[in-house]
Amino acid sequence: MNRNKLTKRFLLLSAALTMALGQSAFAGETVALNLDDAMLRAFQTNPTVSIAQYELDSARASYNAARQSRGISISANHTTQRGGYDDAQQAAPGIWTKGIGNNHANSLNASLPIFTGGKLSGTIKQAKANYQYNEVGVQRTYNEMRSTVTDGYFNMLQADNIQKLSAESVTRLEDHLKNVQAQYDVGVVAKVDVLRSQVELANAKQTLIQAENAYQVAEANMNKIVGLPMDTNLKLDNLLVYNAYDKNMDDCLAYAAEHRPELMQAKYGVDAAKGALMVARSGHMPQVAASATQQWSDSSWPGDDNGKWGVGVNVSMNVFDTGVTLSKIHGAEADLKKAEETYRNTVDSVNLDVRSNYLGLREAEKRISTTKLAVEQADEDYRIAQLRYMSGVGTNTDVLDAQVALTQAKTNYTKALYDYNTSKTALETSIGVPMENPVTAVKVQAAKTAEAAKTTEEAAK
């Protein structure tokens, strides 16, 4: 492969990446969207992902600051003053002066903590736990974004299917009304059959209007999720399908115990509370620090003469503060117990969440098979009711009832598929299946492809 072809391929890949990550849709444009495309757009445009990353960056900076506080700190100071006595002073016999003059002083001060009674260790522990909390929070945000995108995508698919089923119902009733009207015109059926058919058709049209509105709302919501203009027309690729889920309840609970972000965050909340308690208890401990100073002073700027230095150890201890430190300790102990109870409650909530979603998944799975069979039976029943009515041995009510039953059976089947797919996503979120940021994945893949093209080009030279 020559250099020109490699260059063209790389440019095409770069253009595809730019289009995938950019908000390329204009108002009213039709955009083809599959689930992967929707996920990529949502991660690239939704502010929730950026907020979680900024929170992590802030927590990382605080953690680094806490760790670095163990080291030496050096400060430099400069003071320039001009002054003298308010009243003249006798400097020598017969000589009086107010001593007006300048003074310039400089100093370097170094300090190193030796013992803080657990204050530094507690601060670091607290900052580390907060950093870990936010680190898990990013993954939690990714998982929740996957759930948001998937639910919005499947909700739009369901709304589209319901809209189509409602349109089918209207079409069947229109065809049936034509047959009834034709038979009435030749005196075979009574006027009541025509009226009843007209009423059922009007009701079906009302249902279709509602379904069309529901679809438009679902489409607008999907546009918001993926960062497209609200009036963008979406053409979704994927269909609601059934793919078997092979994990049992125990597998899900065990996986959630190790991977659910909320559980890890609750654990880090306990660690942070323990660090805060260490900081509070340090108020009753001595604080020891080594210090070193170097000073200069002079009446002429910049004041770099008359140097002197000193080294030493500073020791301080709170002897009496009217119970302030003790109250802080009691508050920190209460916060620790609260964090421990929060963790215990989170464990129970996660277990309940997993069980509910798993049972919901299996319930929807059973409904898929039963409603699929019901659709076949209802379709046959409607066909027979029509034939009987046309033959004069059935009633109009039988046809209309069969039509309603067929529409309901198809609606139930669609809802079962929707519930199954959304329950699967909810279950994966509840057990903590990690979601990778697709924007990062695309960029990494593009970089690998470019590097491979560069290597091939160099080898060809």
Side-chain angles (χ1 to χ4, degrees):
M1 186 178 294
N2 60 38
R3 181 173 181 176
N4 289 336
K5 290 184 177 180
L6 285 171
T7 302
K8 289 180 180 179
R9 180 169 293 184
F10 176 69
L11 290 174
L12 286 173
L13 177 63
S14 300
L17 176 61
T18 302
M19 290 179 65
L21 295 181
Q23 299 183 42
S24 57
F26 296 96
E29 182 183 351
T30 298
V31 175
L33 203 66
N34 60 33
L35 189 54
D36 291 336
D37 294 335
M39 204 71 69
L40 181 64
R41 286 180 177 273
F43 270 80
Q44 197 270 334
T45 61
N46 199 294
T48 305
V49 176
S50 299
I51 291 171
Q53 187 59 54
Y54 291 139
E55 289 176 343
L56 176 61
D57 292 343
S58 175
R60 183 189 292 111
S62 297
Y63 178 39
N64 289 336
R67 288 188 300 173
Q68 291 159 356
S69 63
R70 284 187 178 277
I72 189 171
S73 61
I74 301 176
S75 62
N77 300 282
H78 172 81
T79 302
T80 293
Q81 287 184 326
R82 179 174 178 80
Y85 298 107
D86 291 338
D87 299 319
Q89 306 291 316
Q90 186 175 16
I95 300 175
W96 294 79
T97 180
K98 290 187 176 182
I100 297 175
N102 299 325
N103 182 63
H104 306 279
N106 298 280
S107 66
L108 285 175
N109 303 286
S111 178
L112 178 68
I114 298 175
F115 179 75
T116 62
K119 182 178 182 179
L120 279 178
S121 297
T123 301
I124 293 172
K125 184 180 182 69
Q126 191 175 13
K128 180 181 179 181
N130 187 49
Y131 168 67
Q132 292 171 320
Y133 180 96
N134 284 278
E135 189 174 35
V136 174
V138 172
Q139 184 61 65
R140 178 179 176 179
T141 300
Y142 290 173
N143 294 355
E144 291 175 349
M145 182 58 64
R146 173 187 57 199
S147 179
T148 298
V149 174
T150 305
D151 287 349
Y153 193 91
F154 287 139
N155 185 50
M156 184 176 166
L157 282 178
Q158 186 199 31
D160 186 36
N161 286 332
I162 296 299
Q163 178 182 237
K164 291 176 180 177
L165 290 176
S166 298
E168 288 178 7
S169 176
V170 169
T171 300
R172 283 195 298 268
L173 287 169
E174 286 176 340
D175 292 340
H176 178 65
L177 178 59
K178 290 177 183 178
N179 293 332
V180 174
Q181 186 66 51
Q183 294 190 67
Y184 172 74
D185 291 341
V186 297
V188 176
V189 298
K191 180 68 174 180
V192 66
D193 285 0
V194 177
L195 295 174
R196 175 68 190 281
S197 299
Q198 290 173 336
V199 170
E200 290 297 328
L201 176 59
N203 290 337
K205 287 181 177 179
Q206 292 296 315
T207 302
L208 175 58
I209 292 172
Q210 293 173 341
E212 290 172 341
N213 181 71
Y215 174 79
Q216 291 174 357
V217 172
E219 186 177 49
N221 180 62
M222 194 64 203
N223 280 325
K224 177 181 179 298
I225 292 172
V226 300
L228 291 172
M230 290 292 180
D231 58 349
T232 302
N233 299 315
L234 298 178
K235 182 180 179 183
L236 303 187
D237 265 0
N238 300 41
L239 299 176
L240 290 170
V241 294
Y242 168 71
N243 293 313
Y245 190 78
D246 56 357
K247 289 186 175 64
N248 59 37
M249 176 80 79
D250 292 337
D251 293 336
C252 293
L253 289 171
Y255 191 93
E258 295 185 6
H259 297 90
R260 179 72 180 261
E262 286 89 332
L263 282 176
M264 290 184 276
Q265 286 185 313
K267 176 182 176 296
Y268 293 137
V270 174
D271 293 341
K274 290 179 179 178
L277 180 58
M278 292 174 63
V279 173
R281 286 173 173 170
S282 70
H284 282 159
M285 303 295 289
Q287 308 291 308
V288 182
S291 64
T293 61
Q294 176 67 53
Q295 298 177 337
W296 301 268
S297 63
D298 194 2
S299 59
S300 299
W301 194 88
D304 54 356
D305 287 335
N306 303 313
K308 62 178 180 179
W309 58 272
V311 294
V313 175
N314 300 323
V315 180
S316 64
M317 184 173 181
N318 176 29
V319 178
F320 179 73
D321 61 4
T322 65
V324 173
T325 299
L326 186 61
S327 295
K328 290 181 178 179
I329 293 174
H330 289 163
E333 289 173 340
D335 289 340
L336 175 57
K337 292 183 182 299
K338 174 185 173 182
E340 290 171 342
E341 289 301 309
T342 298
Y343 176 76
R344 186 173 68 86
N345 184 60
T346 303
V347 171
D348 293 339
S349 297
V350 167
N351 287 336
L352 177 60
D353 194 25
V354 173
R355 289 178 182 277
S356 298
N357 288 319
Y358 183 86
L359 293 174
L361 174 77
R362 294 309 180 194
E363 180 257 343
E365 185 177 42
K366 294 175 182 177
R367 283 195 287 120
I368 289 174
S369 58
T370 57
T371 54
K372 184 177 182 180
L373 178 60
V375 169
E376 296 173 357
Q377 294 170 338
D379 190 53
E380 179 66 11
D381 180 49
Y382 178 69
R383 187 184 66 82
I384 293 173
Q386 279 186 310
L387 291 175
R388 286 173 56 83
Y389 183 71
M390 295 296 292
S391 302
V393 295
T395 66
N396 185 48
T397 300
D398 293 336
V399 177
L400 296 177
D401 288 346
Q403 195 284 140
V404 171
L406 176 58
T407 300
Q408 186 62 52
K410 289 186 175 182
T411 300
N412 290 341
Y413 177 64
T414 298
K415 190 174 187 306
L417 283 174
Y418 168 79
D419 289 345
Y420 179 80
N421 281 277
T422 53
S423 293
K424 183 187 290 187
T425 302
L427 180 59
E428 290 180 345
T429 302
S430 67
I431 66 177
V433 175
M435 173 67 191
E436 183 182 5
N437 189 330
V439 176
T440 303
V442 169
K443 290 181 179 178
V444 170
Q445 184 58 44
K448 289 181 179 179
T449 303
E451 183 64 27
K454 182 179 178 181
T455 303
T456 303
E457 180 183 352
E458 292 176 349
K461 290 181 179 179

